[in-house]
Amino acid sequence: MSESSAEVVADVASAAVAVSAAGAAGGWRRATGIAGVAIGVVAAGAAAGVALERMTVGRGMRQKARLALDSAGPYGSLRGMPGKAFADDGTELYYEVDDLDEEAAPAAIGPRRRRLFGRKSPAPVTVVFSHGYCLSQDSWHFQRAALRGVVRTVHWDQRSHGRSGRGVAQGRDDEPVTIEQLGRDLKAVMDAAAPEGPLVLVGHSMGGMTVMALADQYPELIRERVVGVAFVGTSSGRLGEVNYGLPVAGVNAVRRVLPGVLKVLGQRAELVEKGRRATADLFAGIIKRYSFASRDVDPAVARFAERMIESTPIDVVAEYYPAFNDHDKTEALVHFADLPVLVLAGVQDLVTPSEHSEAIADLLPDAELVLVPDAGHLVMLEHPEVVTDRLADLLTRTGAVPAGATVKGYGSTSTAQPG
């Protein structure tokens, strides 16, 4: 790491302390800009600061560019049949279903499912996609576009994210979010959207942890209905040891103050959101750093990721953060041991490092491990062709998609010209 990078780490650590002090002193307007830095760091999935490139383009021009990028491309525009499920605390969970093309349905009924369910016309496989922290179901845009009509899919928004309702237990009872709760939420969505038939579970980052929590609490469901699993850029535990590509001293400094800072910021959400908007340029740089590794990612895709992350309110960011340090679902992986499993990660993922995916694969020796070079945390947006290809292969192995079926084009996020 360069000297400038180290300086920024120190600055962000100092900023976190300053926000806490300013809040205690009542100087919230003075601390607003600093708050934007801390929020951006956490919302990008990181627990510490990041080296930022110097921005040389005028602010007005950058604002116009963001507006232009917002109107460019179809990213996040795909919609399915809407539905609602309700969590055990009453939280409304929003999901959408993309149904199987009726003409393709007979060909998609494979012998594996006939054997499992003993019917002449078994229910089709349903692929359930779970998204990550500060994202939404739209983060699967490319995979959703590629699989439409080929297989039945369910895309849902985790509590307090996307179109789902604010967590009732969090808003009413001030209860912390837990990964266990997310596992129960996923169960509620499946009960509503796919009450019968085989399932393939796909989870990115926090979504993968949600799948593990489901297995930990409902092992019989995994045994009886799940025919395949994909873990993308996720972890089974030990997230408190991640250094986010930063010097240990900088990480430790931020970790000491960040929980308290987030709690204070969450109590001043309206004011902090103003500061967040005021620091949009800084926020965009942080997101790009922690989301992507490629230099030629389509700016419209980068802006798409930024919009998803910035739409997550600061109080939601704050209430979720402690859950990751408590997350440990290593023992739950045993429930996937006899299933086709895909474990995929970006080699340059700074949020859930690829070593965490390797650790998952070590415990599931029959799993396919795919490490994508030049890829960061949002690998499914950065290299959709790789993720879609390996996911399609998994679906073929589970019988969800018949061998020889054509998976639609997945598009590209690269701005590089063919050589």
Side-chain angles (χ1 to χ4, degrees):
M1 176 171 286
S2 66
E3 290 184 9
S4 61
S5 300
E7 289 172 0
V8 173
V9 173
D11 289 345
V12 174
S14 299
V17 177
V19 174
S20 183
W28 284 101
R29 296 190 182 280
R30 187 171 64 255
T32 300
I34 300 173
V37 178
I39 296 164
V41 171
V42 179
V50 58
L52 299 174
E53 298 177 356
R54 297 292 180 185
M55 297 185 179
T56 58
V57 183
R59 174 174 291 182
M61 187 175 294
R62 290 196 297 274
Q63 290 174 339
K64 290 180 180 178
R66 281 196 291 273
L67 290 174
L69 291 173
D70 286 347
S71 63
Y75 308 131
S77 64
L78 299 177
R79 300 271 65 91
M81 182 67 69
K84 295 178 182 178
F86 291 90
D88 54 14
D89 66 346
T91 299
E92 185 177 285
L93 303 170
Y94 177 83
Y95 66 83
E96 294 179 357
V97 177
D98 289 347
D99 270 317
L100 178 67
D101 187 331
E102 291 296 333
E103 295 181 0
I109 298 172
R112 175 181 173 83
R113 297 206 309 281
R114 289 185 187 276
R115 186 167 61 252
L116 283 173
F117 295 91
R119 303 174 184 169
K120 291 184 177 180
S121 298
V125 172
T126 299
V127 186
V128 183
F129 287 84
S130 300
H131 68 78
Y133 180 43
C134 296
L135 299 172
S136 73
Q137 62 175 270
D138 292 339
S139 61
W140 297 106
H141 174 86
F142 290 100
Q143 292 69 42
R144 185 173 189 172
L147 294 172
R148 286 199 123 177
V150 179
V151 65
R152 186 176 192 268
T153 61
V154 172
H155 298 262
W156 69 293
D157 293 324
Q158 304 238 32
R159 63 173 52 215
S160 304
H161 288 70
R163 294 171 174 82
S164 282
R166 184 76 166 79
V168 170
Q170 288 69 55
R172 181 192 63 198
D173 305 324
D174 199 28
E175 291 184 6
V177 174
T178 65
I179 302 299
E180 287 74 19
Q181 176 67 69
L182 303 185
R184 296 194 297 275
D185 289 355
L186 175 55
K187 175 65 161 52
V189 169
M190 294 192 308
D191 287 346
E196 62 176 354
L199 302 163
V200 175
L201 307 178
V202 183
H204 167 249
S205 191
M206 182 178 75
M209 303 173 203
T210 299
V211 171
M212 296 175 203
L214 174 78
D216 191 41
Q217 297 171 91
Y218 305 99
E220 71 287 348
L221 184 150
I222 305 300
R223 183 172 59 253
E224 295 171 3
R225 295 189 59 196
V226 176
V227 297
V229 182
F231 293 116
V232 180
T234 191
S235 171
S236 61
R238 303 181 68 177
L239 287 169
E241 300 174 10
V242 176
N243 66 9
Y244 303 97
L246 302 169
V248 174
V251 173
N252 289 340
V254 175
R255 278 200 182 116
R256 282 195 297 271
V257 299
L258 193 55
V261 168
L262 281 174
K263 184 175 181 179
V264 172
L265 293 178
Q267 295 168 351
R268 301 291 189 277
E270 183 177 351
L271 182 59
V272 171
E273 292 298 339
K274 293 180 180 179
R276 191 173 179 178
R277 292 191 292 272
T279 56
D281 293 333
L282 177 61
F283 187 72
I286 293 171
I287 290 176
K288 187 173 182 181
R289 161 74 170 169
Y290 278 97
S291 298
F292 308 109
S294 308
R295 292 182 176 274
D296 62 347
V297 172
D298 182 347
V301 170
R303 174 58 186 156
F304 170 50
E306 182 186 343
R307 287 204 316 271
M308 280 191 289
I309 294 172
E310 70 185 4
S311 69
T312 307
I314 179 57
D315 51 339
V316 174
V317 174
E319 71 189 19
Y320 264 83
Y321 178 74
F324 300 113
N325 279 342
D326 297 334
H327 168 62
D328 183 357
K329 290 293 177 286
T330 302
E331 294 184 1
L333 294 174
V334 69
H335 301 300
F336 305 113
D338 296 327
L339 298 174
V341 177
L342 168 66
V343 181
L344 186 148
V347 172
Q348 298 184 53
D349 189 335
L350 299 176
V351 180
T352 50
S354 58
E355 290 81 5
H356 287 235
S357 289
E358 292 182 82
I360 293 172
D362 285 344
L363 294 172
L364 299 171
D366 294 330
E368 178 187 16
L369 174 64
V370 179
L371 301 180
V372 185
D374 197 26
H377 190 56
L378 299 188
V379 60
M380 68 283 189
L381 290 175
E382 187 171 15
H383 293 288
E385 68 285 357
V386 177
V387 177
T388 301
D389 177 75
R390 300 326 305 151
L391 185 57
D393 180 75
L394 174 70
L395 296 179
T396 300
R397 286 189 283 134
T398 63
V401 173
T406 300
V407 173
K408 300 174 185 176
Y410 38 73
S412 174
T413 63
S414 174
T415 58
Q417 298 299 314

